Amino acid sequence: MNILFSEKLIRKRISEISEQISFDYKDREVLLIGVLNGSFVFCADVVRNLTNVKFKIDFITISSYLGIRSTGKIEVLSRFKENITGKDVLILDDIIETGMTLDFIIKEVASKNPKSLKTCVLVDKRCMRKKDVPVEYICLEMAASMGNDFVVGYGLDYNGFFRGLPYICKLEEFVR
Ligand code: 5GP
Ligand code: MG
């Protein structure tokens, strides 16, 4: 089994990123917005690693993938409920590829005039980027040498499955 990011590495990086977020938002109140479904595992880990940060968490449910392909059409299945105006907002997503999804969500949130807006992702597939989206906190980078294959695990799915894997690997390890 070829594991791209081990459980141990993921845990270490989430702890480091959470420490950075805790430092940057020290003694402030932040509204976290998780992008469902993929980021539920990541969100649960980040919030338990934050220290001295008062936060609320809300979610937006987005769908753009069918199998391993982006449909190119971003669909909002459910929208966040918290008031965003005047808040320090941090968006948490599972993986950024072209950047279209995060770009869409950033515009959605920005239109409600938050005090500040930053983004945080578990995995960055940088070589696939089409939109120049600012990402302030990146846990794991998929180097070009790792390829740009579809990955699963740690919340990331293939048609709804594989989200419970404690590590991240290529889908081809399971489906050929
Ligand atoms: P983007 O809009 O940046 O191209 O794609 C982002 C969204 O597509 C992610 O939030 C995720 O839901 C899905 N996605 C992109 N690449 C992968 C991948 O390798 N594996 C999985 N499971 N989802 C992906
Ligand atoms: Mg997603």
Side-chain angles (χ1 to χ4, degrees):
M1 158 83 61
N2 186 8
I3 291 174
L4 291 180
F5 302 112
S6 68
E7 187 173 1
K8 193 171 163 209
L9 175 65
I10 297 172
R11 197 175 310 136
K12 175 172 171 282
R13 285 297 299 142
I14 292 182
S15 153
E16 287 168 355
I17 281 286
S18 302
E19 201 174 310
Q20 184 65 51
I21 295 170
S22 298
F23 179 80
D24 294 349
Y25 289 91
K26 191 173 184 324
D27 299 327
R28 281 155 69 192
E29 190 180 316
V30 57
L31 174 62
L32 306 172
I33 296 183
V35 184
L36 295 178
N37 293 332
S39 76
F40 78 106
V41 180
F42 180 46
C43 287
D45 279 354
V46 169
V47 296
R48 286 176 297 168
N49 277 279
L50 293 178
T51 48
N52 299 316
V53 180
K54 215 172 146 191
F55 71 87
K56 284 188 182 181
I57 187 161
D58 202 350
F59 299 95
I60 182 169
T61 308
I62 293 281
S63 156
S64 65
Y65 262 68
L66 198 60
I68 64 163
R69 306 246 173 272
S70 170
T71 57
K73 202 174 114 254
I74 297 164
E75 226 185 312
V76 181
L77 303 181
S78 83
R79 210 169 285 271
F80 35 75
K81 293 156 200 80
E82 288 290 334
N83 179 27
I84 280 169
T85 310
K87 301 272 174 68
D88 287 313
V89 177
L90 177 62
I91 299 169
L92 300 167
D93 203 358
D94 54 357
I95 186 166
I96 178 166
E97 201 177 62
T98 63
M100 306 298 238
T101 307
L102 214 43
D103 182 63
F104 175 89
I105 300 166
I106 287 172
K107 283 180 180 144
E108 186 86 358
V109 174
S111 72
K112 296 184 167 48
N113 297 312
K115 181 170 158 201
S116 72
L117 176 54
K118 287 190 186 178
T119 57
C120 172
V121 298
L122 176 62
V123 181
D124 184 5
K125 247 191 214 181
R126 189 161 300 177
C127 59
M128 299 288 282
R129 195 79 87 260
K130 285 186 186 150
K131 279 234 176 229
D132 190 20
V133 185
V135 185
E136 283 78 11
Y137 306 100
I138 297 168
C139 279
L140 305 158
E141 242 177 80
M142 242 175 107
S145 58
M146 290 176 174
N148 54 18
D149 307 71
F150 196 81
V151 296
V152 292
Y154 221 86
L156 290 152
D157 74 310
Y158 169 62
N159 283 344
F161 294 104
F162 302 108
R163 294 195 198 274
L165 296 173
Y167 49 81
I168 294 172
C169 67
K170 294 184 180 180
L171 174 65
E172 65 182 28
E173 296 289 337
F174 301 101
V175 179
R176 284 174 198 276

